[in-house]
Amino acid sequence: MAALGNPALWGVCGRGWSRAKLAGRLPGLRSSWPRGPVGVRPLSQEKPATETHFGFETVSEQEKGGKVYQVFESVAKKYDVMNDMMSLGIHRLWKDLLLWRMHPLPGTQLLDVAGGTGDIAFRFLKYVQAQYKGKQKKQLRAQQNLSWEEIAQKYQNDEDPLGGSRVMVCDINKEMLKVGKQKAQAQGYKTGLAWVLGDAEELPFDDAKFDVYSIAFGIRNVTHIDRALQEAHRVLKPGGRFLCLEFSQVNNPLISRLYDLYSFQVIPVLGEVIAGDWKSYQYLVESIRKFPPQEDFKEMIEDAGFQKVTYESLTSGIVAIHSGFKL
Ligand SMILES: COc1cc(O)cc(C/C=C(\C)CC/C=C(\C)CC/C=C(\C)CC/C=C(\C)CC/C=C(\C)CC/C=C(\C)CC/C=C(\C)CC/C=C(\C)CC/C=C(\C)CCC=C(C)C)c1O
Ligand SMILES: C[S@@+](CC[C@H](N)C(=O)[O-])C[C@H]1O[C@@H](n2cnc3c(N)ncnc32)[C@H](O)[C@@H]1O
């Protein structure tokens, strides 16, 4: 895909994406972006603000994006360490499992939305590289009578160890992307990876561009989940797959009690002690309770046009992986 292959196009790009659109979603830009007279509505005709939730708080839809932005701007630097501490590393297993379910083959073009600090993207690159190496080894083993020079040459000629696979990380938050890019550099991920600032509700990509769309712990934060799902459907190629890892509904009453206790009594305290940020971690646990349970979310995915929608509950339903296809 041209946009993925050409680093010059790896900025904010694509379909109708503009600073003006971003301005509506990012708090800093919203107030400063000038509006022409055409957009001005007389006070008496002000459209009533539609309400939504930000955790357990009721806010207007216009406010929510800015509040979510502030949460991730505030936690970005401590985000990774917080996740390991809060989950005792379990989030890594959930993310690994997402990759096993995705099972990307060499050549896969992945869009990881709300990709934050790159956890899914890095796993994807590791996975496709391992797949490609495995395939190459198999081929070499099948060619019994190659000399060692021929074998060495085959390894050296290997221009693209990803076999053409690419991942595009898209996130609305500059600070999260900044941490992700620093991690990529520190961990030596150079090729096959691009970072784009963009909104899940209005993706800056043309139609039918990607083989797989993933979103991990992201969709819960989006103001209009239905719009994000429609966008996922739009940017996938026919035959493409949607995969979502998200907190869900615990299905065991005893675990549910313990889980609530841990969530409300421990998580915000950890947030305060480690990240100096109680409120963001209170938002995390509250937003989990506001997210639809497995079956309801499955229906929402179907409503967006996906087919063969299934889900798998993990760790007693603390999280679930939903999958659907654009057919
Ligand atoms: C601002 O927004 C965000 C910020 C972020 O940093 C991250 C996210 C998005 C989230 C991720 C990327 C995933 C990683 C983050 C988490 C998993 C944190 C969220 C955690 C919960 C909602 C609670 C559930 C956590 C887990 C199941 C992970 C494992 C944790 C434990 C087993 C807890 C063990 C802890 C202790 C023993 C310490 C002592 C605790 C106490 C004294 C309090 C009482 C403890 C209990 C009653 C035991 C806790 C029991 C459970 C949690 C249920 C266990 C369930 C099973 C074993 C099946 C983001 O949006
Ligand atoms: C909990 S983090 C998940 C990061 C990463 N996917 C992971 O699993 O570690 C949620 C991410 O969603 C992003 N986000 C929130 N609303 C968004 C939106 N409307 N469009 C794109 N990204 C969004 C946040 O900026 C944040 O980076």
Side-chain angles (χ1 to χ4, degrees), residues 15 20 26 132 135 163 169 203-204 225 249 280 283 306-307 321:
R15 196 185 69 122
L26 305 185
Y132 189 66
K135 202 173 142 191
V169 180
L203 291 171
I225 295 175
Q249 198 172 66
S280 293
Y283 163 72
F306 287 102
Q307 291 180 40
I321 294 177

Side-chain angles (χ1 to χ4, degrees), residues 131-171:
Q131 286 278 317
Y132 189 66
K133 272 193 184 152
K135 202 173 142 191
Q136 198 186 36
K137 261 191 193 162
K138 247 190 200 167
Q139 278 173 354
L140 283 171
R141 276 199 207 113
Q143 293 172 301
Q144 293 281 345
N145 38 14
L146 287 181
S147 69
W148 71 265
E149 287 99 334
E150 285 170 317
I151 293 173
Q153 203 174 22
K154 274 201 184 273
Y155 271 91
Q156 277 159 12
N157 284 351
D158 204 8
E159 277 165 13
D160 183 2
L162 301 172
S165 297
R166 297 287 178 267
V167 54
M168 178 77 80
V169 180
C170 176
D171 198 288

